[in-house]
Amino acid sequence: MKITVRGALLAVVPLVAAVPLLAGTPTEASPAAAPVTDATCVLKGHGVFAHAVGLGGTNLPVPDTLAMTGTASCVDAAGADAGTGTFQRTVAMPATECTGDEHGDTSTTTVHWTDGSVSTFRFDRTDVVKVNGTASLVVTGAVTTDSARFAGDAVNAVGTSAGTGCGTPAGETALDSTLVLRLTR
């Protein structure tokens, strides 16, 4: 189509021709896909310290080791049973104390499922804030790729632990904990 405006000849190009050129042009970055929850697991355990914490009523940070055993129960995203079993974990703690912050603890938790299979949860970081033997826990890590269940999943967890004996001559020798893990891929 041609249009004349005060002696000038103009060509009109339909706008529709330009639309396909703009359709493939991203205007903003696509958001990353949200992680998919494979399961939520609850680990309930009992741990024994290699050396009493706060022995003699002192509150000095000292290296220690905690040997834990307990039960694991998991449900999938729909709430259906995704496995139960028992676990063992040994935690090397660089600075254990009755009250204070403990950071960077790492550990491996081996879960023996009731069907005889095994999964390994590697906790890369455990942040602990402890007051008079009661602690809040924040854990991150992953399930190893050779695990029978949840292989390669990311682990994000929160929990609590409580022990007795802090501030006493005998010190804290054991604790009980509950850790809730979200396993995502």
Side-chain angles (χ1 to χ4, degrees):
M1 170 195 291
K2 296 180 183 178
I3 300 176
T4 305
V5 177
R6 290 195 187 230
L9 183 62
L10 301 174
V12 177
V13 179
L15 185 57
V16 177
V19 172
L21 296 175
L22 297 175
T25 306
T27 56
E28 60 184 67
S30 299
V36 174
T37 299
D38 277 343
T40 301
C41 299
V42 177
L43 302 180
K44 291 186 178 191
H46 178 75
V48 177
F49 288 103
H51 308 285
V53 178
L55 187 62
T58 63
N59 190 45
L60 299 173
V62 295
D64 209 339
T65 302
L66 178 67
M68 296 199 74
T69 58
T71 60
S73 60
C74 302
V75 295
D76 65 17
D81 180 34
T84 58
T86 60
F87 74 87
Q88 299 93 31
R89 171 173 60 234
T90 299
V91 184
M93 297 174 288
T96 305
E97 56 190 315
C98 282
T99 299
D101 294 345
E102 302 169 17
H103 297 284
D105 305 336
T106 62
S107 65
T108 300
T109 299
T110 305
V111 177
H112 298 274
W113 303 106
T114 54
D115 66 2
S117 61
V118 175
S119 292
T120 303
F121 297 75
R122 193 164 313 233
F123 297 155
D124 299 327
R125 182 167 176 100
T126 301
D127 290 331
V128 179
V129 178
K130 197 170 179 184
V131 178
N132 294 327
T134 300
S136 66
L137 314 165
V138 178
V139 179
T140 57
V143 181
T144 61
T145 58
D146 61 346
S147 291
R149 296 179 192 211
F150 318 116
D153 278 5
V155 173
N156 289 289
V158 294
T160 61
S161 70
T164 57
C166 282
T168 68
E172 180 183 17
T173 58
L175 60 79
D176 293 302
S177 72
T178 300
L179 192 62
V180 179
L181 293 78
R182 182 174 176 232
L183 307 177
T184 59
R185 58 181 158 80

